[in-house]
Amino acid sequence: MKIRIAFLAALAAVSFPAAAQELSVGLSTPVTTMDPHFHNLTPNNSLAKHLFETLVHQDDQQALRPGLAESWKALDDTTWEIKLRKNVRWHDGAPFTAEDVLATLKRIPNVPNSPASFAIYTRPISDARAKDPHTLILTTRAPHPLLPNDLATIHIISAKMAGMGTPDYNSGKAVNGTGPYKFGEYVSGDRVVLVANDKYWGPKPAFPKIRFRMITNSPARVAALLAGDAQMIEAVPTADIANLKKDARVTLASTVSNRIIYLHMDSGRERNSPFVTDTAGRPLEANPLRDPRVRKAISMMIDRNAIVSRIMEGEAKPAGQFLPETFHGTSRKLQPEKYDPDGAKKLLAAAGYPNGFGLTLHTPNNRYINDEKIAQAVAQFLTRGGIPTKVDAMPSAVFFSRGSKLEFSFLLAGWGAGTGENSSPLRSLVASFDPKLGNGAANRGRFSDAGVDAMIHTALSTIDDTKRGLMLAAAADKAIGELTGVIPLHYEVSTWGMKKGLAYKARVDQGTFAHEVVPAKK
Amino acid sequence: MSAVLPAAEPVPQTPFRRFLEEFFESKLATLGFVMLAGIVLLALLAPLLAPQNPYDLAKLELLDARLEPGARSVAGITYLLGTDGQGRDMLSAILYGLRVSLYVGVVSGIIALTLGALTGVLAAYAGGRIEQFVMRVVDIQLGFPAILVALILLAVLGKGVDKIIIALVCVQWAYYARTARSAALVERGKEYMEAARGLGLSGTRIVLRHLLPNALPPLIVVATVQVAHAIALEATLSFLGLGLPTTEPSLGLLIANGYEYLMSGKYWISFTPGVALLATILAINLVGDQLRDVLNPRLAK
C-alpha cells in the first residue's frame, strides 16, 4: 500500500506543473460523433454542448434557463413565441438568426443512418416560421406543454452547414457552433480537442484549451488523474471513491443523477422468447415474462440494498421508479421493492412456475457504472430465487443494436431523463412501441398497456403543470407498481474527480461540461 | 549429424529409466515437476477441495463481497484467500480456474499436436508441391500474431470453452507442423528410412510407424512450451473479456475482475490468481526446458 502511494505521489509530483492553460479531461465513454444530430447519447450530447447550444439551457439540476432563446411563451395551446438572443455570433463570425433554427429543425429528422434520432423532440412541432430575424413562432400538432424541455435537447446548427453530412461534422469541417468552445481536433475513440471561443456571449470559459481523452478503462482513468495526465475525470469508479476522498491532491464532486438502472423483460412475445428456458436449459415455449406476477416476483427477489452497498459501494440509491422524487411527474407512492425471496417464491408458484425457469440476462459492460457486476449480482439473486440465470455481457455498441432488434429476453440498461421530468422515461421505456409517435424508442421488452398509453398521452397534452405531473405519476404507478413493466434497480450517483484547486458543480444529467469547470475560490 | 546414432550403452537400462534419471538430475526441473504435479492434482480434485462451487450463482453471497483473505463469511466459513466483487471465494475460484486453464491448454495442445504433426510429417514425406503449399500456409499463419487470430476467431465464434479450444488449435497447429516437418526432413534422409523403403513398406506405414515416432522428441519439447503458451493466451483472452462466460471465471477473468480494484488496495482479487497462473506456467516451462535438454541428441552425454 505504502509503496504504491509513494510511487503515485512521485508520479504526480513530476507531472502536475505541466499544464496550466490546458484542461485535460478523462471521459469514460467514447464520443461517437461530432454531429450534434446524429446519435442521441449522453456522452455525445455532453460534448456537443461545448460547441453548440440549445435554445433553452438546463442548469445542473436540469431546471430550464434561457439559452439561445432569451424567453419563450405560449400564445395559445399550440402556438409558442420564442425570442432569440441578439448578440450571438457563430464561430465563423456570422450572426445567429431564426433562419438557423429553422434549418436545424429541418435537418434533424433527415440525418441518414442515425442510430438514435433526435426526431422525437421535433416531431410535436408541425410548423415553424420566423416572424422577424429574432422571433420564432412554433406551432405544435397538439397542446405540447413540454416544448421548452424538448428544445433543451436540440442543438442549433448554422443554416450554412445544414446541407453537410455527418462525415463533414466528424472531420470538423461543418462544426460551426455558437458554444463556448471551437472545434480543434477529433480522433474517434481517442480524443477531442477544443479551443476557447473568445467571442462567446456568455461567461468566458476558464481554460483556453480543453483536451478530452477517452479513457474507458476505469483504473486507468483514476491513474491518469493521480498522475496528473488528466486534471479531471468523469465516472470515478465506485471502488476508488473511498480512497480518493482521503487523498489530499484530489477533490470529488458528486450527486444522485437522473439515470435509472433498470431491468427490461420480454413482455411482448407470447411464446418462444429467445433466452427463456426451463430450469435444465432447454428452450421453453411459453413466455412466463408476460405474466405481471412473474415480473413482480423477479423484482422481489432482488436485494437492492445489497447491490447498492456491495457492488456500488454506497454510490447509488435504491429506486422504485424512473426518477428520484425531486423530479417533476414522479410518484409519491412508488418505493423501492422490498427484498422478499419467500414472497417471490409464492408469487412464482401462483403464476404456475413453482419450479422456476431459466433466463439469460444481457448487459452492456462499458456503459453504466458497474453494469456487468450489477448483472451478475442480479443473476445471483434470481438463481437463488429459483430462476437460474446466466449473464452475457458485451460492449454497449453490440448490446444496443442487438437489444433494439429484440434479440434478448431479459436485459439490463439505463435511462437518463434528458428532459429532466418523468415523461421522458415513461414515453421511451413503457409506452407501446410506435415509431410514428416516437414512443417506446427504448422499449426493448415491448411492454404494452393501453391504460398506461392513454395516461401518458393525456398527460403530454395537459398544459397545467401540476395536473400533468399527477397524471405522469399515475402512469408510473400503473406501469411499474401494478404491472412491473420495468424493474427499477437504482439511481446512479455520478462522481467527478478533479485535481485540488478546481471546482465543478455535479450535474444530475451526468454531463461533463468543461466550460463549467472553474478554479476553486480560495 | 554425427551424434545421432544411438550409442550402445553398456549398462542394461531401459531408455525410459535413463530418461528419468537424466531428467531428475536438475533440481530446478524436479521442483518444476513437483509443482506441476501438485497443480494438476489440485485442479483435478478441485470439486472435492474447493469450499464453494464458484460457478453456482446460488452459492455466492453478495454480502461477502470483497472480503480480505482470512475473513469470515456471514455464514461462518473462512475465506482463506478472500472473496471477489461478487462474494465468490477466491480459493475455490482459483482451483476451478486452474482446471479450466489446464484443460484448455492440454486439450488444445493435443489436438494441435496431432493436426500439426500429421500435416508436417506428411509434407516432409510427400515433398514437392504439397510440401511447398503446406509450408506456405504455415508461414502465413505464423505471420499473424497469435493473439490477433484468436481475438478474431472468438469474435466470430462467440463464448465457451469449446470455442476457445478451437481458436487455440487454429493458432497453434502451425508451430507443430513446422517442427514436425523439419524433424521429419532430417529423418527422411537417414539410412533406416531407405531400408524401410527398400523393404517395400507402404507410405502410410513408413510415415506412421517410422517417420513420426522418430520426429516425436522435438515435438514433445514444442508441446510443453506451447501448452504454457496456450494457457497464457487463454488467460489473455479472458482478461480481455472474450472466451469464457463472466459467471464462470477462469484465471484470466479473475485477474481482470481484480484489476479494477487494484487502485483501491484490494490486491488479493487480482494477485492470487496471478500467482497461480504464474506458478502453472513456470512449472510447465521448467519441465519443458529440462525435456529439451534431455531429448536433444546434441546435448546427449
Side-chain angles (χ1 to χ4, degrees):
Chain A
M1 260 313 264
K2 263 188 194 142
I3 296 171
R4 188 176 60 84
I5 289 174
F7 171 69
L8 291 172
L11 263 181
V14 175
S15 35
F16 252 140
Q21 294 303 298
E22 180 181 296
L23 181 72
S24 175
V25 181
L27 297 180
S28 62
T29 317
V31 172
T32 62
T33 178
M34 286 291 111
D35 182 343
H37 303 149
F38 180 66
H39 190 180
N40 184 5
L41 192 73
T42 303
N44 291 355
N45 299 343
S46 171
L47 194 109
K49 295 234 158 43
H50 296 81
L51 298 161
F52 299 94
E53 284 181 287
T54 48
L55 291 176
V56 180
H57 284 182
Q58 290 178 335
D59 69 5
D60 54 302
Q61 298 299 315
Q62 284 190 299
L64 304 184
R65 298 272 178 268
L68 285 178
E70 273 175 334
S71 66
W72 53 91
K73 66 169 187 239
L75 300 178
D76 58 51
D77 272 8
T78 57
T79 318
W80 294 72
E81 185 186 75
I82 291 156
K83 289 273 183 208
L84 301 182
R85 204 173 283 281
K86 289 202 174 98
N87 51 354
V88 179
R89 290 193 173 270
W90 293 99
H91 292 163
D92 68 3
F96 159 74
T97 67
E99 287 308 313
D100 299 313
V101 182
L102 298 184
T104 299
L105 293 177
K106 211 186 245 165
R107 179 174 188 258
I108 283 177
N110 301 311
V111 179
N113 304 322
S114 164
S117 173
F118 287 83
I120 51 163
Y121 302 118
T122 58
R123 202 171 277 111
I125 303 168
S126 59
D127 184 53
R129 60 196 169 81
K131 196 167 141 197
D132 62 56
H134 292 103
T135 311
L136 202 66
I137 304 289
L138 297 181
T139 315
T140 58
R141 285 172 217 285
H144 186 58
L146 290 174
L147 186 73
N149 301 66
D150 283 354
L151 291 179
T153 63
I154 297 173
H155 298 102
I156 307 298
I157 55 162
S158 86
K160 220 184 288 174
M161 302 298 175
M164 300 274 210
T166 303
D168 295 318
Y169 279 89
N170 289 343
S171 73
K173 202 166 93 187
V175 181
N176 180 30
T178 58
Y181 281 94
K182 296 197 269 197
F183 181 84
E185 186 190 10
Y186 167 55
V187 181
S188 175
D190 183 58
R191 64 180 180 270
V192 183
V193 180
L194 307 177
V195 283
N197 170 16
D198 303 329
K199 310 224 165 55
Y200 184 56
W201 60 269
K204 297 275 175 287
F207 294 88
K209 195 171 174 191
I210 307 284
R211 179 183 295 271
F212 288 104
R213 294 172 53 205
M214 300 164 204
I215 314 178
T216 50
N217 183 298
S218 302
R221 203 160 55 247
V222 175
L225 176 70
L226 291 176
D229 289 344
Q231 284 86 54
M232 179 185 190
I233 58 169
E234 64 177 11
V236 176
T238 51
D240 295 323
I241 288 178
N243 275 354
L244 290 180
K245 267 182 189 156
K246 286 184 245 154
D247 195 313
R249 294 163 293 151
V250 174
T251 329
L252 299 179
S254 74
T255 180
V256 175
S257 71
N258 67 5
R259 184 173 302 281
I260 175 78
I261 300 298
Y262 64 88
L263 302 170
H264 234 143
M265 296 141 291
D266 180 1
S267 39
R269 266 176 281 237
E270 293 203 19
R271 48 194 65 249
N272 296 326
S273 190
F275 286 96
V276 175
T277 64
D278 62 11
T279 39
R282 287 179 299 257
L284 196 65
E285 204 202 332
N287 178 6
L289 299 173
R290 273 181 77 80
D291 189 330
R293 287 173 296 181
V294 172
R295 302 198 293 260
K296 173 96 173 163
I298 292 178
S299 183
M300 287 159 71
M301 283 174 196
I302 300 167
D303 186 348
R304 288 166 180 74
N305 290 322
I307 291 181
V308 166
S309 74
R310 297 290 140 172
I311 304 285
M312 306 301 287
E313 314 211 20
E315 302 295 329
K317 205 175 153 228
Q321 54 180 326
F322 291 129
L323 278 170
E325 279 188 14
T326 47
F327 284 85
H328 188 251
T330 51
S331 162
R332 295 288 165 272
K333 272 189 248 161
L334 292 173
Q335 294 302 322
E337 187 84 57
K338 269 215 196 76
Y339 175 50
D340 180 7
D342 297 328
K345 244 180 200 135
K346 278 183 207 132
L347 204 53
L348 210 55
Y353 295 93
N355 299 318
F357 54 92
L359 279 178
T360 301
L361 174 58
H362 286 85
T363 174
N365 57 14
N366 57 358
R367 177 65 192 93
Y368 309 109
I369 304 172
N370 298 339
D371 38 16
E372 186 181 343
K373 289 186 211 144
I374 301 164
Q376 287 187 55
V378 168
Q380 256 188 53
F381 288 123
L382 264 56
T383 305
R384 219 174 297 158
I387 304 182
T389 304
K390 294 191 198 112
V391 174
D392 192 354
M394 56 197 75
S396 57
V398 182
F399 174 82
F400 287 116
S401 78
R402 286 186 64 191
S404 298
K405 280 188 236 152
L406 306 187
E407 286 183 24
F408 306 143
S409 294
F410 185 37
L411 61 94
L412 179 143
W415 186 266
T419 57
E421 45 74 58
N422 210 6
S423 80
S424 153
L426 280 168
R427 274 183 75 193
S428 292
L429 303 181
V430 290
S432 302
F433 179 70
D434 186 343
K436 249 191 278 162
L437 291 174
N439 283 349
N443 186 348
R444 301 184 181 97
R446 290 295 184 266
F447 172 81
S448 176
D449 178 77
V452 172
D453 287 347
M455 281 189 243
I456 297 173
H457 185 78
T458 341
L460 285 173
S461 50
T462 304
I463 300 285
D464 184 281
D465 267 353
T466 321
K467 270 197 208 145
R468 186 175 66 249
L470 288 173
M471 262 183 242
L472 289 173
D477 283 338
K478 187 157 171 97
I480 300 173
E482 208 175 293
L483 298 169
T484 324
V486 160
I487 297 176
L489 293 179
H490 57 255
Y491 311 114
E492 287 186 346
V493 168
S494 19
T495 307
W496 289 262
M498 286 146 288
K499 99 177 178 174
K500 197 120 223 155
L502 295 179
Y504 185 64
K505 220 177 199 184
R507 296 186 61 93
V508 292
D509 61 9
Q510 302 189 316
T512 299
F513 291 178
H515 52 278
E516 291 182 1
V517 179
V518 290
K521 286 187 191 91
K522 293 275 157 69
Chain B
M1 288 298 126
S2 55
V4 222
L5 284 178
E9 286 282 343
V11 199
Q13 259 183 329
T14 62
F16 183 65
R17 266 198 85 107
R18 206 176 69 225
F19 163 79
L20 284 184
E21 268 175 25
E22 280 184 32
F23 183 89
F24 288 112
E25 262 172 26
S26 154
K27 279 190 186 126
L28 215 51
T30 313
L31 175 75
F33 181 80
V34 171
M35 269 169 69
L36 186 59
I39 290 170
V40 170
L41 214 59
L42 283 178
L44 286 177
L45 299 178
L48 299 176
L49 297 175
Q52 182 190 65
N53 177 358
Y55 297 165
D56 183 356
L57 288 177
K59 297 269 159 54
L60 307 188
E61 180 53 72
L62 190 58
L63 292 174
D64 286 344
R66 301 186 313 276
L67 290 182
E68 278 178 36
R72 287 176 78 77
S73 77
V74 180
I77 320 161
T78 307
Y79 295 119
L80 283 178
L81 297 179
T83 59
D84 73 358
Q86 296 288 335
R88 195 177 277 120
D89 176 36
M90 286 307 295
L91 178 63
S92 311
I94 290 171
L95 290 176
Y96 274 76
L98 279 175
R99 235 171 127 79
V100 177
S101 295
L102 287 175
Y103 177 76
V104 166
V106 170
V107 171
S108 71
I110 290 173
I111 300 177
L113 173 69
T114 318
L115 270 177
L118 277 178
T119 42
V121 170
L122 275 178
Y125 181 77
R129 284 203 178 163
I130 299 179
E131 183 181 20
Q132 285 294 321
F133 174 74
V134 172
M135 292 333 284
R136 287 306 79 76
V137 173
V138 167
D139 284 343
I140 292 171
Q141 165 91 61
L142 291 179
F144 287 106
I147 183 81
L148 184 72
V149 177
L151 273 175
I152 294 171
L153 280 171
L154 281 179
V156 176
L157 295 172
K159 286 186 177 181
V161 172
D162 47 341
K163 316 272 176 16
I164 281 236
I165 290 176
I166 293 174
L168 290 178
V169 168
C170 287
V171 299
Q172 285 188 311
W173 72 275
Y175 292 97
Y176 295 105
R178 174 174 273 188
T179 314
R181 171 182 165 265
S182 56
L185 275 183
V186 172
E187 297 298 320
R188 196 174 66 169
K190 286 191 186 156
E191 283 152 13
Y192 77 94
M193 288 296 297
E194 268 170 43
R197 253 180 252 129
L199 280 173
L201 297 178
S202 73
T204 336
R205 196 184 157 90
I206 294 180
V207 169
L208 290 182
R209 295 296 298 274
H210 297 274
L211 200 45
L212 197 55
N214 283 299
L216 216 48
L219 279 176
I220 292 174
V221 174
V222 173
T224 48
V225 176
Q226 282 300 318
V227 166
H229 189 77
I231 290 175
L233 198 58
E234 183 274 325
T236 314
L237 291 167
S238 296
F239 184 85
L240 295 173
L242 283 158
L244 296 167
T246 37
T247 44
E248 296 177 11
S250 67
L251 290 178
L253 199 55
L254 285 173
I255 296 172
N257 289 343
Y259 174 65
E260 293 178 34
Y261 295 105
L262 267 187
M263 297 293 292
S264 51
K266 297 186 177 64
Y267 64 91
W268 64 89
I269 307 177
S270 227
F271 182 72
T272 31
V275 169
L277 183 65
L278 186 75
T280 311
I281 293 175
L282 181 71
I284 297 177
N285 279 341
L286 285 177
V287 171
D289 276 352
Q290 183 68 358
L291 274 183
R292 189 189 60 209
D293 291 350
V294 175
L295 293 178
N296 189 340
R298 263 170 241 165
L299 297 178
K301 286 162 201 162

